[in-house]
Amino acid sequence: MSIAGNVGLTDLPRICPLISRRVQPSVDAEETRVVVVGEVQFGGVRPVVIAGPCAVESLEQTLAVARAVKAAGAEMLRGGAFKPRTSPHDFQGLGLQGLRILAEARRETGLPIVTEVMDPRLVETVSEYADMLQIGSRNMQNYPLLIEAGKSGKPVLLKRGMAASLCEWLGAAEYIAKEGNLDIVLCERGLKAFPAGEYSRNVLDLSVIPAVKGETFLPVIVDPSHATGVASMVESASCAAIASGSHGLIIEVACIDEGAARPKCDAAQAISPETLSNIVRFIDTHIERTAMRKAHAV
Amino acid sequence: MSIAGNVGLTDLPRICPLISRRVQPSVDAEETRVVVVGEVQFGGVRPVVIAGPCAVESLEQTLAVARAVKAAGAEMLRGGAFKPRTSPHDFQGLGLQGLRILAEARRETGLPIVTEVMDPRLVETVSEYADMLQIGSRNMQNYPLLIEAGKSGKPVLLKRGMAASLCEWLGAAEYIAKEGNLDIVLCERGLKAFPAGEYSRNVLDLSVIPAVKGETFLPVIVDPSHATGVASMVESASCAAIASGSHGLIIEVACIDEGAARPKCDAAQAISPETLSNIVRFIDTHIERTAMRKAHAV
Amino acid sequence: MSIAGNVGLTDLPRICPLISRRVQPSVDAEETRVVVVGEVQFGGVRPVVIAGPCAVESLEQTLAVARAVKAAGAEMLRGGAFKPRTSPHDFQGLGLQGLRILAEARRETGLPIVTEVMDPRLVETVSEYADMLQIGSRNMQNYPLLIEAGKSGKPVLLKRGMAASLCEWLGAAEYIAKEGNLDIVLCERGLKAFPAGEYSRNVLDLSVIPAVKGETFLPVIVDPSHATGVASMVESASCAAIASGSHGLIIEVACIDEGAARPKCDAAQAISPETLSNIVRFIDTHIERTAMRKAHAV
Amino acid sequence: MSIAGNVGLTDLPRICPLISRRVQPSVDAEETRVVVVGEVQFGGVRPVVIAGPCAVESLEQTLAVARAVKAAGAEMLRGGAFKPRTSPHDFQGLGLQGLRILAEARRETGLPIVTEVMDPRLVETVSEYADMLQIGSRNMQNYPLLIEAGKSGKPVLLKRGMAASLCEWLGAAEYIAKEGNLDIVLCERGLKAFPAGEYSRNVLDLSVIPAVKGETFLPVIVDPSHATGVASMVESASCAAIASGSHGLIIEVACIDEGAARPKCDAAQAISPETLSNIVRFIDTHIERTAMRKAHAV
């Protein structure tokens, strides 16, 4: 019996020859392609921490969070100007104004910006402001969007779809690569699976980290915020991701201690800058330990 | 403990007020809104059968299949001109030429056409040829595309995402409705779930049919081809869908008995015109029985 | 890369040679082994309807439901004397007293009885009262229990585990067969999958029906009550199961119109005897139609 | 609409009052109940490493692995004498002889033993040899077995079912607790979920670790071997588990470098003693770091 659409890891050389480790012999078996965004390096020695608000809501809020995450050790700023929301009646993001606010936050803090683009017609505009384009989970197989992102020449953060196989995910990355753009960072963010929703939003699939590394030379990071959906779980999920070999984290942070308004979306998963500091310290000691272990092995 | 993004059926009046049965009191509890495409009525007494090739590959192939499915009792023609494929190196569809072939098949057979659109920039072009726009599973939450489809004024077939909750699916439909377009037909096509891939491509979730009917007045149909991915399972899945109360079916058919080439995509799930005839006959007797039962009840 | 425990349909001849259609050449490709319980035949022309209360709660309740389901057309009585409950503090069933009540209901109505056994030490006792032993989903891979059920010589109803692959399910049946007992009826009852719990308890996987028939000659039925968990969905799920080729149904029924107490477990999924009558009528016309179609084909 | 069987975290005080943190006010919010097995403490400062062969196959093999895992830093020995296998024709374990071999390995190495029991009639026998009883995933809801394990007075390792919700898992633990036995250690071992089987056996759900800690005072460990099913993924999964706050690990190890035979089951997921050493070193530095952080915080 044959099943339509059934593919497996052995099909990857055909599905994504441009990014398959098995097809590209010039890339060393251990090596990760380093994707550079400003002074940030994905796939280098140190895992990258991206942090920021879920949505850009105002200049004040964005600057406050940007300063706080920089102080906590983040190297890059996230924030949504265009928000994919379950209902069209929910807050959809500030759009162009949000991009301008992000640019202002970059000017202030020096942190490069990653922000989501959902519409192929807006890739050019978003590229004018952002240092890195984010393709969200809902759009992982939005191929016209992936092609425009590829053409933009900007580094792309490609989130895994909520029920995407590894083959589908790497196939999506190949759409970007086919336009001549290999500056792709993959991002695991949790699967929809039973019993997600009982105690966490999704099920974080950390086994995909070594699986990705086995199949492609592209760096891969983790979004613990959407994976868990619960602020109190973000620190343990972040540490687990780093221990799994993730090349970085993208984390939602809110500053709510100063009488600020509650975030307009996903408030339940935003952590405080203090918790972010803990995560950065975990990374610090993780790197030291890895370095010591390598020195010991030599 | 609060989980970000957790919503349930009780949130539907807020998520999708325009299509929620609970919010729209003028729509009778039992009634389905009839969506008209040419002479075809979704949500009327008779379930609608849409059939045709997976992809439009040539005029000859398309005409052959179109004639065959019409003879077998289908009322509407499907066929992909723009194909979302896992790999960018796979056949992507004939594009504009494919649309012209579909229009020619309509001229020949009189069958109205539904075809997928993936790019908001192409909604206008596809609308010139198609009688109904299909939004595929991968694009269920491609909101810019949904908005353009809403603006087009064309009837829209909105497939359920492969891991979409009912709330997310109806939320997506609301994006179309918000543009003033209530001519929406929902389409269940199977979930990604364990152990899908062992004997079928996905898990067909027929319980969602009565659930949809309880929450909205929009008609809902089933795609047994993608749900099973196995040609030999399509007939039983089709009959089960009709028995579940589905307002129709969209089925992939291939004519491979005349020395024709094997379809370029999803060949394993395409049924023959003869099997399609069996399905249409099942619908005939199903309607008779339902009519008799209603007469008996009076 | 090799994954421990990964098996597929091609492993079935090794996993379950005694019940594999591919290994047992004497069984015709189309034929189902008929499992006889009293005058009831699973795998014959007519799908079997088993109905009754979730749990046996009292003689009065059980007799009332037994009479009602017989009047509605059921051929066999179900009812739990030993109940597997999520909490040890919940009602665990009447035990031996429940078995005696079931036997009394059989004496009164003539309906053979199927009831669950959870403990290998109780297989002998339950076998004294029951006409068929039920192995529940939670115990699908309780191998000592399966072996005792095999040794009992009683027909066995083997429910599919909530996340069992087809290979695991048929492997479990093989444990019974290995004890010399081929009187096994399989029962699909819904998978745990996202987004189960939003509108239904589980996801009913009807594609497994043709898949089972392709791999083994054992009959297979469906439990629409546990699959949906919602009384208003049971009729449509039952009809879908029959249309999918199911050899029968096992349905929970409650008589709550006469001032009776609400059932102690799973009340939300129990249907009325009237709804059961509708399902039986659907089966009547389904058989007529199938018979006509076969006559027409000759 | 009401769905039968739907429970959530708010039902836990009713489902499992004996082990619920919310019901037992005497247990401090931060504290874990320490479960003692010989000199091993689950829930103490140091995560416990249990290691050993999948199945006990011979005295030589078991001793070799036992010595190797002890040398690598494991504190406790695992090994199956009774093996739940998908097919009854596969190796079922050495049974009583296996228990004797385990006892001999304990005598030699001083490592306490945990081994699986599947049959309530064998709990007494297994308890004579084992220091801790393991209830496997397939038997998580085998309530007669849980009750006997509770009565045995032995510490119990309760694995999570492959599709069990947190409520079902803690409900199962409550069956043991109800018999007066609170020496329960929970063990997460991966969920069956899409796309498990593509690159890993199951999906390891580490978010359940903080969720368990929020709801009960029982310690919780992780089985990275069954969770991944791939030897090359076990180290990263182990480190992730420890970083998530797991109280320990249970790992399958094989000694295959000395011309030994390939293990009879699950060979693809067994790691070498060298890899186990790496994992133990990760734990060492993890504890140091945690200790430093606590000192810093004071």
Side-chain angles (χ1 to χ4, degrees):
Chain A
M1 190 174 63
S2 172
I3 302 176
N6 251 20
V7 291
L9 299 189
T10 54
D11 298 295
L12 282 176
R14 180 184 62 74
I15 290 172
C16 53
L18 299 172
I19 62 167
S20 167
R21 212 182 256 299
R22 306 186 199 187
V23 178
Q24 304 296 333
S26 62
V27 179
D28 181 82
E30 285 299 309
E31 203 180 322
T32 301
R33 178 187 162 83
V34 173
V35 174
V36 177
V37 181
E39 297 179 5
V40 176
Q41 295 195 328
F42 292 89
V45 174
R46 187 183 173 85
V48 174
V49 175
I50 309 171
C54 177
V56 174
E57 296 179 23
S58 70
L59 180 58
E60 295 66 35
Q61 166 249 17
T62 305
L63 282 179
V65 177
R67 288 178 193 131
V69 302
K70 186 180 184 184
E75 297 173 72
M76 199 162 158
L77 182 65
R78 63 146 290 148
F82 298 93
K83 298 296 301 174
R85 303 302 300 280
T86 298
S87 170
H89 307 294
D90 286 344
F91 173 61
Q92 305 281 308
L94 296 180
L96 188 56
Q97 187 196 344
L99 296 176
R100 289 188 187 126
I101 290 172
L102 284 169
E104 177 64 19
R106 173 179 49 201
R107 208 189 53 76
E108 271 260 333
T109 60
L111 298 176
I113 295 164
V114 59
T115 196
E116 180 164 0
V117 59
M118 300 191 295
D119 189 328
R121 298 167 297 190
L122 290 174
V123 168
E124 204 175 315
T125 302
V126 176
S127 296
E128 285 170 26
Y129 293 88
D131 300 288
M132 185 180 212
L133 303 177
Q134 178 182 317
I135 307 291
S137 295
R138 292 167 183 79
N139 285 303
M140 191 200 84
Q141 292 184 308
N142 181 341
Y143 298 130
L145 179 65
L146 295 174
I147 290 168
E148 291 303 320
K151 287 181 178 160
S152 76
K154 284 275 172 181
V156 179
L157 184 66
L158 179 62
K159 290 198 154 186
R160 184 184 187 184
M162 298 177 208
S165 69
L166 182 54
C167 289
E168 290 166 335
W169 192 15
L170 297 186
E174 184 82 0
Y175 274 85
I176 300 167
K178 190 157 174 274
E179 302 304 320
N181 187 349
L182 280 171
D183 288 337
I184 305 165
V185 176
L186 301 164
C187 181
E188 156 68 21
R189 44 81 72 214
L191 297 172
K192 284 200 177 181
F194 183 86
E198 190 192 25
Y199 47 84
S200 65
R201 186 173 187 169
N202 295 292
V203 178
L204 178 56
D205 176 19
L206 290 175
S207 297
V208 87
I209 303 285
V212 163
K213 290 182 174 181
E215 300 298 334
T216 182
F217 45 77
L218 297 176
V220 57
I221 70 170
V222 168
D223 174 349
S225 304
H226 286 89
T228 63
V230 178
S232 66
M233 289 184 175
V234 168
E235 184 174 349
S236 74
S238 296
C239 298
I242 296 300
S244 290
S246 176
H247 293 114
L249 300 167
I250 179 167
I251 304 178
E252 292 188 3
V253 172
C255 299
I256 52 176
D257 34 24
E258 308 157 30
R262 191 176 160 79
K264 289 186 184 171
C265 59
D266 288 349
Q269 72 194 28
I271 62 171
S272 68
E274 290 68 39
T275 305
L276 185 64
S277 294
N278 291 344
I279 295 167
V280 172
R281 275 200 292 274
F282 181 92
I283 293 176
D284 291 340
T285 50
H286 180 78
I287 296 170
E288 283 169 35
R289 187 179 51 210
T290 308
M292 280 191 297
R293 204 165 120 190
K294 282 193 179 159
H296 181 81
V298 175
Chain B
M1 190 173 61
S2 172
I3 302 176
N6 251 20
V7 291
L9 299 190
T10 53
D11 297 295
L12 282 175
R14 180 185 61 76
I15 291 171
C16 53
L18 300 173
I19 63 168
S20 166
R21 211 183 256 300
R22 306 185 200 188
V23 178
Q24 305 294 333
S26 63
V27 179
D28 181 83
E30 285 298 310
E31 202 181 324
T32 300
R33 177 186 163 84
V34 174
V35 174
V36 177
V37 181
E39 296 180 4
V40 176
Q41 295 195 329
F42 291 89
V45 173
R46 188 182 173 86
V48 173
V49 175
I50 309 171
C54 177
V56 173
E57 296 179 22
S58 70
L59 181 59
E60 295 66 36
Q61 166 248 17
T62 305
L63 282 179
V65 177
R67 288 178 193 128
V69 303
K70 186 182 185 183
E75 297 174 71
M76 200 162 158
L77 181 66
R78 63 146 288 146
F82 299 93
K83 298 296 301 173
R85 302 302 300 279
T86 298
S87 172
H89 308 295
D90 286 344
F91 174 61
Q92 305 282 309
L94 297 180
L96 188 57
Q97 188 196 344
L99 295 176
R100 289 189 186 123
I101 290 172
L102 284 169
E104 177 64 18
R106 172 178 50 202
R107 208 190 50 77
E108 271 261 332
T109 61
L111 298 176
I113 295 164
V114 60
T115 196
E116 181 164 359
V117 59
M118 301 191 295
D119 190 328
R121 298 166 297 190
L122 290 174
V123 168
E124 203 175 316
T125 302
V126 176
S127 296
E128 286 170 25
Y129 293 88
D131 301 288
M132 187 179 210
L133 303 176
Q134 178 182 315
I135 307 291
S137 296
R138 292 167 183 79
N139 286 301
M140 191 199 83
Q141 291 183 309
N142 181 341
Y143 298 130
L145 180 63
L146 295 174
I147 291 168
E148 291 302 321
K151 287 181 179 160
S152 76
K154 284 274 172 181
V156 179
L157 184 66
L158 179 63
K159 288 196 155 188
R160 185 183 184 184
M162 298 178 207
S165 69
L166 182 54
C167 288
E168 290 166 335
W169 192 15
L170 297 186
E174 184 83 359
Y175 275 86
I176 301 167
K178 189 155 174 277
E179 302 303 320
N181 186 349
L182 280 171
D183 288 337
I184 305 164
V185 176
L186 301 164
C187 180
E188 156 68 21
R189 45 80 72 214
L191 297 172
K192 285 202 176 180
F194 183 87
E198 190 192 26
Y199 48 84
S200 65
R201 187 173 187 170
N202 295 293
V203 178
L204 178 56
D205 176 18
L206 289 176
S207 297
V208 87
I209 304 284
V212 163
K213 291 182 174 182
E215 299 300 334
T216 181
F217 45 78
L218 297 175
V220 56
I221 71 170
V222 168
D223 174 348
S225 304
H226 286 89
T228 64
V230 179
S232 65
M233 288 183 175
V234 170
E235 183 174 348
S236 75
S238 296
C239 297
I242 295 300
S244 290
S246 175
H247 293 114
L249 299 167
I250 178 165
I251 304 178
E252 292 189 2
V253 172
C255 300
I256 51 173
D257 33 23
E258 307 157 32
R262 190 176 161 80
K264 289 185 185 172
C265 60
D266 288 349
Q269 71 194 28
I271 62 170
S272 67
E274 290 69 38
T275 305
L276 185 64
S277 294
N278 291 343
I279 295 167
V280 171
R281 274 199 293 275
F282 181 92
I283 293 175
D284 291 341
T285 51
H286 180 78
I287 296 170
E288 284 169 35
R289 187 179 50 209
T290 308
M292 280 191 297
R293 203 165 120 192
K294 281 192 180 162
H296 181 81
V298 175
Chain C
M1 190 174 65
S2 172
I3 302 176
N6 251 20
V7 291
L9 298 190
T10 53
D11 298 296
L12 282 176
R14 180 185 63 75
I15 291 172
C16 54
L18 300 172
I19 62 168
S20 166
R21 211 183 256 299
R22 306 186 199 188
V23 178
Q24 303 295 333
S26 62
V27 179
D28 182 81
E30 285 298 310
E31 202 180 323
T32 301
R33 177 186 163 83
V34 173
V35 174
V36 177
V37 181
E39 296 179 4
V40 175
Q41 295 195 328
F42 292 89
V45 173
R46 187 183 173 86
V48 173
V49 175
I50 308 171
C54 177
V56 173
E57 296 179 23
S58 70
L59 179 59
E60 295 66 36
Q61 166 248 18
T62 305
L63 283 179
V65 177
R67 287 179 194 130
V69 303
K70 186 181 184 183
E75 296 174 72
M76 199 161 158
L77 181 66
R78 64 145 289 147
F82 299 94
K83 298 296 300 174
R85 302 301 301 278
T86 298
S87 171
H89 307 294
D90 287 343
F91 174 61
Q92 305 281 308
L94 296 180
L96 187 58
Q97 187 196 345
L99 296 176
R100 290 189 186 123
I101 291 173
L102 285 169
E104 176 65 18
R106 173 178 50 200
R107 208 189 52 75
E108 271 260 334
T109 60
L111 298 176
I113 295 164
V114 59
T115 195
E116 180 164 0
V117 59
M118 301 192 294
D119 189 328
R121 298 166 297 190
L122 290 174
V123 168
E124 204 174 316
T125 302
V126 176
S127 296
E128 286 170 24
Y129 293 88
D131 301 287
M132 186 179 211
L133 303 177
Q134 178 182 315
I135 307 290
S137 295
R138 291 167 184 78
N139 286 302
M140 191 200 84
Q141 291 184 307
N142 181 341
Y143 298 131
L145 180 63
L146 295 173
I147 291 168
E148 291 302 319
K151 287 181 177 160
S152 76
K154 284 275 171 181
V156 179
L157 184 67
L158 179 62
K159 289 197 154 188
R160 183 183 187 184
M162 298 177 207
S165 68
L166 182 54
C167 288
E168 290 166 334
W169 192 15
L170 297 186
E174 184 83 359
Y175 274 85
I176 301 168
K178 189 156 174 276
E179 302 305 320
N181 187 349
L182 281 171
D183 288 337
I184 305 164
V185 176
L186 300 164
C187 180
E188 155 69 21
R189 44 80 72 214
L191 297 172
K192 283 200 177 181
F194 183 87
E198 190 192 24
Y199 48 84
S200 65
R201 186 172 186 171
N202 295 293
V203 178
L204 179 55
D205 176 18
L206 290 176
S207 297
V208 87
I209 303 284
V212 163
K213 290 183 174 181
E215 300 298 335
T216 182
F217 45 77
L218 297 175
V220 57
I221 71 170
V222 168
D223 174 349
S225 304
H226 287 89
T228 63
V230 179
S232 65
M233 289 184 174
V234 169
E235 183 174 349
S236 75
S238 296
C239 297
I242 295 300
S244 289
S246 175
H247 293 113
L249 300 167
I250 178 165
I251 304 178
E252 292 189 1
V253 172
C255 299
I256 51 174
D257 33 24
E258 307 157 32
R262 191 175 160 80
K264 287 187 185 171
C265 60
D266 288 349
Q269 71 194 27
I271 62 170
S272 67
E274 290 69 39
T275 305
L276 184 65
S277 294
N278 291 343
I279 294 168
V280 172
R281 275 200 293 274
F282 181 91
I283 294 175
D284 291 340
T285 51
H286 180 79
I287 296 170
E288 284 169 35
R289 187 179 50 210
T290 308
M292 280 192 297
R293 205 164 118 191
K294 282 194 179 158
H296 181 80
V298 175
Chain D
M1 191 174 62
S2 172
I3 302 176
N6 252 20
V7 291
L9 299 189
T10 53
D11 297 296
L12 282 176
R14 180 184 60 75
I15 291 172
C16 52
L18 300 173
I19 62 167
S20 167
R21 212 183 255 300
R22 306 186 200 187
V23 178
Q24 304 295 333
S26 62
V27 180
D28 181 81
E30 286 298 311
E31 202 180 324
T32 300
R33 177 186 162 83
V34 173
V35 174
V36 177
V37 182
E39 297 180 4
V40 176
Q41 294 195 329
F42 292 90
V45 173
R46 188 183 173 86
V48 174
V49 175
I50 309 171
C54 177
V56 173
E57 296 179 22
S58 69
L59 180 60
E60 295 67 36
Q61 165 247 19
T62 305
L63 283 179
V65 177
R67 289 178 193 129
V69 303
K70 187 181 185 183
E75 297 174 73
M76 199 162 158
L77 181 66
R78 61 146 291 146
F82 298 93
K83 299 295 301 174
R85 303 301 301 278
T86 299
S87 171
H89 308 294
D90 287 343
F91 174 61
Q92 305 281 308
L94 296 180
L96 188 57
Q97 186 195 344
L99 296 177
R100 291 189 186 123
I101 291 172
L102 285 169
E104 176 64 19
R106 173 178 48 201
R107 208 189 52 77
E108 271 262 331
T109 61
L111 298 176
I113 295 164
V114 59
T115 196
E116 181 164 0
V117 59
M118 301 191 294
D119 189 327
R121 297 166 297 189
L122 290 173
V123 168
E124 204 174 316
T125 302
V126 176
S127 296
E128 286 171 24
Y129 293 88
D131 301 289
M132 186 180 210
L133 303 177
Q134 178 182 315
I135 306 291
S137 296
R138 292 167 183 79
N139 286 302
M140 191 199 83
Q141 292 184 308
N142 181 342
Y143 298 130
L145 179 63
L146 295 173
I147 290 168
E148 291 302 321
K151 287 181 178 160
S152 76
K154 285 274 172 182
V156 179
L157 184 66
L158 178 63
K159 289 197 155 188
R160 184 183 185 184
M162 299 178 207
S165 69
L166 182 54
C167 289
E168 290 166 335
W169 192 15
L170 297 186
E174 183 83 0
Y175 274 86
I176 300 167
K178 190 156 174 275
E179 302 304 319
N181 187 348
L182 280 171
D183 288 338
I184 305 164
V185 176
L186 301 164
C187 180
E188 156 67 23
R189 44 80 72 212
L191 297 172
K192 285 201 178 181
F194 183 87
E198 190 191 25
Y199 47 84
S200 66
R201 186 173 188 171
N202 295 293
V203 178
L204 178 56
D205 176 19
L206 290 176
S207 297
V208 87
I209 303 284
V212 163
K213 290 183 175 181
E215 300 298 334
T216 182
F217 45 78
L218 297 176
V220 58
I221 70 169
V222 168
D223 174 349
S225 304
H226 287 89
T228 63
V230 179
S232 66
M233 289 184 174
V234 168
E235 184 174 348
S236 74
S238 296
C239 298
I242 295 300
S244 290
S246 175
H247 294 114
L249 300 167
I250 179 166
I251 304 179
E252 292 188 3
V253 172
C255 299
I256 52 175
D257 34 23
E258 308 156 32
R262 190 176 161 78
K264 289 186 185 172
C265 60
D266 288 348
Q269 72 194 27
I271 62 169
S272 67
E274 291 70 38
T275 304
L276 184 65
S277 293
N278 292 342
I279 294 167
V280 171
R281 274 200 293 275
F282 181 91
I283 293 175
D284 290 340
T285 50
H286 180 78
I287 296 171
E288 284 169 35
R289 187 179 50 211
T290 307
M292 280 191 298
R293 203 165 121 192
K294 281 193 180 159
H296 181 80
V298 175

